[in-house]
Amino acid sequence: MIGRSLAGVLLGLTLAIALTGLAVLCWPGGSIRVLVPAVVVFFPLYMVLILAAFLYRTASRAWGWMAVANLAAFAALWIAQRTLPGLPS
Amino acid sequence: MRAETRRRLTELHTWTGLIAGFALFIAFYAGALSVFHDEIDTWAVPHPPAVSTNLVARGDALMAKIVDEHPAARAQIGMTLPGDHPSHEVAVYWFDKDWHVQGLDDAKPRGEDDEREGLADFVYSLHYTLGIPELGIYLMGLVSIVYGVALLSGVLIHLPHLVQDLFALRPGRNLKRLWQDAHNVIGILSLPFHVIFAITGALICLMTIAMVAFNVMAFDGKLVPLEDSLTGASPTITASKVQAPMLPPHVAVEKARAVALASGAEGFDPDYMRYLQYGDRNAAVEVRGRSGKTLGEYGSVALSAVDGRVLRVQVTGARDANHATYAAIFGLHFGTFGGTAVKWLYFLLGLAGAFLFYSGNLLYIESRRKRRSADQPLKVRAMATATVGLCLGSCAAIAVTFCANLVAAASGADATMIVKPVFFVALAAAFGWTLWRRPARAAVDLLWLTAALSLAVAIADIALHGLRVEGGGAALAVNITCIGMAVGFASLARATARRARSGDMNSVWAVAG
């Protein structure tokens, strides 16, 4: 229980931030237009990801898959930050 | 779903329920009452001091005085506008390293430790902080997230039997089955309402923190500077260092109302206004107000504070997705998008939510009960004590606080000094009583106490102040609701007493002899 909870609570948090951040950066027609809706989506997404950690057969699988998903999401975010217009400064 | 996954989800549901359930019970009970915050406030202050008519002009003068004394306050200084319930305060807010506040009748800015609250404001703060200063709101934000996980896992466990069990309520010898059915049917039927609260509750408590996290992790520090413009109408302005006279608040408010109505808003009832770069030729004034016939009632209009030309409009009918979403979060949470019927629906669903968490705890106890022994395991006894002491204890403590407010107001004392300490002393006493009397007896005692106090406070208020039909009958409605709550608590008390006497003796809910 503890292992899975930590995977969901920690890696789920960073994954949810990366995924919603990525969606905002990729939003057609300007990222600034969907910032508040994105924060609204972030919370249920985080809840779903915490739950998802409990659907894996073992805690180590939960950690493994969520770490892989984090790496992929942050790599995509890193690319998006450098290639897309992003927020006005 | 594999049996093992389902078992694991059940365990997750149990634990998240245990962690968040007590806080959620208090939040839902106090939140249901807070739907009628303004009505309770009208009830709690039976003889409000006469309202002077020049509040806005006095606020204007106070702002001028404050920017004289604190030049840094020019960056942003604002005031709340007069409202229609007695504790509503017209006060000036400004930012000088930190937020400061000074009411019209205060001689100097209010200190950080000044947390006087009237009855209605206290019940409301109990709803979103549990009465814990500073950190309580973040705690409730985390509780909302745990609540969301509990909801998701509950739905997943229940999903395979969702349709056939939805309308099943099976009374009979199997008590666990009955509580399970009641818990499920309330959980599923009010699920949309719970989804709204898990999400908007987390948002309202943790939005600022989430914005900071996004700012650092996804947006290179560009999000936080935008935050004000995402939720209000404030434009980014730079001071010209050339002085100019400011449009007075009443003129700005009237102009903003006209602009909002012209933009298509259904009414515009201003409740807050602020200046940005007060006294400067480039200064702006932002007016926030409420409109009708929309999910998100709040909107803002920004004008030049010198000549009144329109800078930005974010009201219903003329706003972007950010502002519409932001306003909808509050509209959905507070139930302000509808009329009286929606408020009553929120009140009843709030009480049903409190019952959902209470029944979850009863299920925990019932499914771990030793069926062949009068002695129950420690975890079952501890859970029963905590459930009765904290849940029923807080119902009783709120009833005590209503009585204390009535006594203080009638004897001329300042009720704002006593409501918070009275609540916590009463809650501690109720918990102590539960430890001493054991849960089965204490539950009956606390339910009867809550019923008796609810009835007594309504009768005493009517005896002291009459029917109080003035002002739309808000105070009278509170008294009638108190009597209704008394009847409800009394029937719960009778049912609990009957169960203690004649139910299965091998249980924490049985009273021997």
Side-chain angles (χ1 to χ4, degrees):
Chain A
M1 283 296 279
I2 298 290
R4 279 178 227 276
S5 310
L6 282 177
V9 169
L10 300 177
L11 295 184
L13 177 65
T14 51
L15 183 57
I17 289 176
L19 289 176
T20 27
L22 189 63
V24 169
L25 288 175
C26 296
W27 196 261
S31 301
I32 192 172
R33 296 169 60 180
V34 288
L35 279 170
V36 177
V39 179
V40 174
V41 170
F42 157 75
F43 282 101
L45 179 62
Y46 182 32
M47 295 165 190
V48 168
L49 290 173
I50 294 176
L51 183 86
F54 287 82
L55 298 177
Y56 292 99
R57 276 165 203 249
T58 62
S60 44
R61 279 193 192 207
W63 276 97
W65 281 112
M66 292 190 80
V68 169
N70 263 283
L71 280 178
F74 275 99
L77 187 66
W78 189 85
I79 294 167
Q81 281 170 338
R82 272 145 196 85
T83 52
L84 295 167
L87 295 179
S89 46
Chain B
M1 201 187 312
R2 285 162 49 244
E4 195 214 332
T5 312
R6 191 163 174 209
R7 190 185 48 73
R8 209 183 302 126
L9 287 175
T10 309
E11 207 178 333
L12 174 67
H13 188 69
T14 306
W15 278 100
T16 46
L18 280 181
I19 292 167
F22 293 104
L24 287 172
F25 180 92
I26 296 174
F28 269 69
Y29 189 73
L33 299 182
S34 292
V35 169
F36 296 109
H37 171 277
D38 294 3
E39 287 80 0
I40 291 175
D41 192 46
T42 306
W43 179 89
V45 188
H47 302 294
V51 179
S52 71
T53 46
N54 58 346
L55 290 172
V56 177
R58 286 173 64 202
D60 189 18
L62 183 57
M63 284 193 279
K65 178 168 163 277
I66 287 166
V67 292
D68 258 4
E69 290 165 6
H70 310 271
R74 288 174 187 277
Q76 46 174 320
I77 181 164
M79 65 180 285
T80 48
L81 298 165
D84 58 1
H85 59 98
S87 310
H88 178 83
E89 192 192 29
V90 175
V92 171
Y93 292 77
W94 70 96
F95 191 80
D96 178 3
K97 297 186 197 74
D98 211 339
W99 281 102
H100 301 273
V101 58
Q102 182 169 348
L104 289 188
D105 299 320
D106 297 341
K108 56 182 178 51
R110 207 166 290 166
E112 293 246 320
D113 51 348
D114 184 351
E115 35 180 275
R116 278 174 297 161
E117 281 170 324
L119 177 68
D121 286 345
F122 170 68
V123 173
Y124 177 52
S125 75
L126 196 59
H127 162 65
Y128 72 90
T129 66
L130 302 178
I132 304 166
E134 308 282 334
L135 292 178
I137 185 166
Y138 303 116
L139 176 74
M140 287 313 288
L142 297 179
V143 164
S144 300
I145 291 176
V146 177
Y147 167 35
V149 176
L151 280 181
L152 285 168
S153 54
V155 172
L156 278 187
I157 301 162
H158 200 49
L159 207 52
H161 311 278
L162 186 70
V163 179
Q164 77 240 41
D165 280 0
L166 185 55
F167 295 107
L169 190 62
R170 288 159 285 199
R173 292 191 63 81
N174 188 341
L175 266 180
K176 186 184 169 228
R177 168 63 62 70
L178 175 67
W179 281 116
Q180 180 90 62
D181 287 342
H183 186 76
N184 290 349
V185 75
I186 290 178
I188 293 295
L189 291 182
S190 49
L191 186 63
F193 180 77
H194 285 286
V195 169
I196 287 172
F197 281 103
I199 297 173
T200 59
L203 273 163
I204 292 169
C205 294
L206 298 175
M207 187 140 182
T208 326
I209 292 182
M211 287 281 197
V212 172
F214 274 98
N215 186 50
V216 175
M217 292 174 71
F219 298 117
D220 266 348
K222 291 177 186 165
L223 175 59
V224 164
L226 291 171
E227 210 176 320
D228 259 5
S229 70
L230 296 174
T231 54
S234 60
T236 325
I237 48 173
T238 37
S240 67
K241 311 277 184 210
V242 181
Q243 291 197 350
M246 292 291 94
L247 224 55
H250 70 275
V251 177
V253 163
E254 278 318 308
K255 170 92 189 178
R257 193 201 311 267
V259 171
L261 295 184
S263 309
E266 185 79 27
F268 189 73
D269 188 10
D271 71 348
Y272 179 70
M273 57 88 62
R274 66 170 174 168
Y275 293 99
L276 301 165
Q277 303 301 340
Y278 185 97
D280 191 274
R281 201 181 57 192
N282 289 350
V285 55
E286 183 189 2
V287 181
R288 187 183 75 183
R290 288 185 286 217
S291 305
K293 296 196 178 165
T294 170
L295 183 57
E297 52 170 4
Y298 272 113
S300 303
V301 173
L303 310 167
S304 156
V306 177
D307 55 20
R309 86 184 173 285
V310 180
L311 299 176
R312 279 191 192 174
V313 182
Q314 290 288 354
V315 296
T316 166
R319 59 186 170 195
D320 58 29
N322 289 320
H323 290 82
T325 311
Y326 188 70
I329 293 167
F330 291 90
L332 280 170
H333 193 96
F334 293 97
T336 44
F337 55 87
T340 312
V342 169
K343 289 176 88 174
W344 277 107
L345 184 66
Y346 266 58
F347 176 77
L348 293 175
L349 284 168
L351 293 184
F355 176 77
L356 184 71
F357 308 125
Y358 190 75
S359 66
N361 286 6
L362 294 186
L363 260 175
Y364 177 95
I365 293 166
E366 196 56 39
S367 54
R368 283 157 187 78
R369 182 166 71 91
K370 291 263 181 290
R371 285 161 200 287
R372 296 177 197 288
S373 149
D375 287 328
Q376 294 295 320
L378 176 65
K379 64 179 175 184
V380 167
R381 283 183 284 133
M383 186 67 180
T385 305
T387 302
V388 170
L390 289 175
C391 296
L392 301 183
S394 60
C395 294
I398 286 178
V400 170
T401 313
F402 268 66
C403 292
N405 182 88
L406 182 88
V407 172
S411 60
D414 183 3
T416 60
M417 304 296 284
I418 59 152
V419 285
K420 191 171 182 172
V422 163
F423 172 82
F424 283 107
V425 169
L427 181 60
F431 199 86
W433 186 261
T434 312
L435 283 173
W436 182 52
R437 289 268 287 171
R438 298 292 175 84
R441 282 199 183 87
V444 178
D445 299 342
L446 290 173
L447 287 165
W448 276 122
L449 177 69
T450 312
L453 291 176
S454 304
L455 185 65
V457 82
I459 291 173
D461 186 74
I462 292 170
L464 276 171
H465 307 298
L467 283 177
R468 299 174 77 186
V469 287
E470 71 284 354
L476 176 63
V478 171
N479 281 329
I480 294 173
T481 310
C482 281
I483 295 171
M485 300 278 279
V487 172
F489 277 108
S491 53
L492 288 174
R494 284 190 52 185
T496 313
R498 196 164 54 231
R499 191 262 166 265
R501 273 195 319 272
S502 44
D504 189 339
M505 293 313 282
N506 294 333
S507 164
V508 282
W509 302 118
V511 174

